[in-house]
Amino acid sequence: MNRFQILLFLILSTISYSTIIAEEKKDSFTKLEDAIIATLKNSPDLKISYEKVVQAQATLKQVKSSFYPSFNATGAYTKFNKPSTLTVPDFSAIALNPTSTATVEKTLQPDHSWGGNLSLSVPLIIVSLYPTLDASKLVEKAVTLAYELNREAIVYNCINLYLYSLLAYKNIEISKTALATTKDHLLAAKKRLQSGTGAEIDVTRSELL
């Protein structure tokens, strides 16, 4: 049997025994499932193990992202108070009249401008990152296994404590029943002694019990 089968056997056995106890005594009694959930939820060691798993997964994800294509986009917008212009001869007018002195204004820079750039980077082979990737994978597997083993150990200990509690509860009930029976025997022996139908030795024997 592997550890999972052993754990499953303990859980089923404890549930069956706790069901018997619950049928005998109708008082409120914490269920095994509730006890396990509460123990796992409030275990500081398990929380630390889980945080290590989350951290290792995040590190592995970050290392893997170095092998993915990346997009880079940049943009710029410029606003001026007024456009920049330059006065030049009107060559169309000069062509019609060589003696013309007509001029026109040419815009060198408008009062606003914008531009953008989009680039794609595709890594081919990053030899230097492969050792880091392998190490990150090993760490992620190790902390995940440690978390699972820690969780199983907590569940196993919880089941044992729960079973011991049930056995202690059962022993207390048996002791209560035996004490009540002894008291009844002692009372009956005293009544027989008072009525003259019993002996004092019977009373003494009942007191010793």
Side-chain angles (χ1 to χ4, degrees):
M1 296 178 67
N2 55 34
R3 65 175 187 271
F4 175 77
Q5 291 174 329
I6 296 175
L7 192 62
L8 181 60
F9 173 76
L10 287 173
I11 293 176
L12 294 177
S13 300
T14 309
I15 290 176
S16 300
Y17 188 76
S18 61
T19 302
I20 296 174
I21 295 295
E23 291 177 354
E24 293 179 355
K25 186 78 172 177
K26 299 301 181 180
D27 294 345
S28 58
F29 204 91
T30 303
K31 295 181 179 180
L32 175 61
E33 299 91 330
D34 297 335
I36 292 176
I37 292 174
T39 302
L40 293 175
K41 182 178 180 180
N42 298 305
S43 173
D45 293 337
L46 192 62
K47 290 180 180 178
I48 294 175
S49 298
Y50 180 75
E51 291 298 329
K52 290 181 179 179
V53 172
V54 173
Q55 183 177 0
Q57 290 176 345
T59 301
L60 179 59
K61 184 178 180 180
Q62 182 179 4
V63 175
K64 285 183 176 180
S65 66
S66 301
F67 295 88
Y68 300 152
S70 60
F71 292 91
N72 295 315
T74 58
Y77 176 79
T78 305
K79 175 66 176 176
F80 299 98
N81 293 329
K82 61 179 181 178
S84 176
T85 60
L86 177 66
T87 301
V88 297
D90 187 353
F91 294 104
S92 60
I94 294 175
L96 298 175
N97 183 9
T99 61
S100 174
T101 58
T103 59
V104 294
E105 287 190 353
K106 296 291 185 179
T107 301
L108 300 179
Q109 175 68 52
D111 61 346
H112 66 277
S113 64
W114 62 274
N117 181 48
L118 178 63
S119 63
L120 171 64
S121 177
V122 181
L124 297 178
I125 299 177
I126 310 177
V127 179
S128 60
L129 283 181
Y130 281 105
T132 304
L133 178 62
D134 294 337
S136 299
K137 288 180 178 179
L138 291 176
V139 171
E140 192 270 338
K141 289 181 179 179
V143 296
T144 300
L145 179 60
Y147 169 77
E148 293 175 352
L149 292 176
N150 192 10
R151 189 176 188 277
E152 290 182 4
I154 292 174
V155 173
Y156 177 79
N157 292 332
C158 180
I159 292 174
N160 280 335
L161 291 175
Y162 190 86
L163 184 59
Y164 292 151
S165 299
L166 292 179
L167 292 175
Y169 172 80
K170 186 64 176 179
N171 290 332
I172 291 174
E173 291 297 311
I174 293 174
S175 299
K176 288 181 178 180
T177 302
L179 180 60
T181 302
T182 302
K183 288 181 177 180
D184 292 339
H185 289 169
L186 178 59
L187 182 60
K190 288 182 177 181
K191 288 183 178 180
R192 289 195 300 269
L193 180 62
Q194 292 175 355
S195 63
T197 59
E200 187 174 354
I201 187 62
D202 295 331
V203 177
T204 304
R205 187 184 299 110
S206 297
E207 290 175 343
L208 293 176
L209 293 176

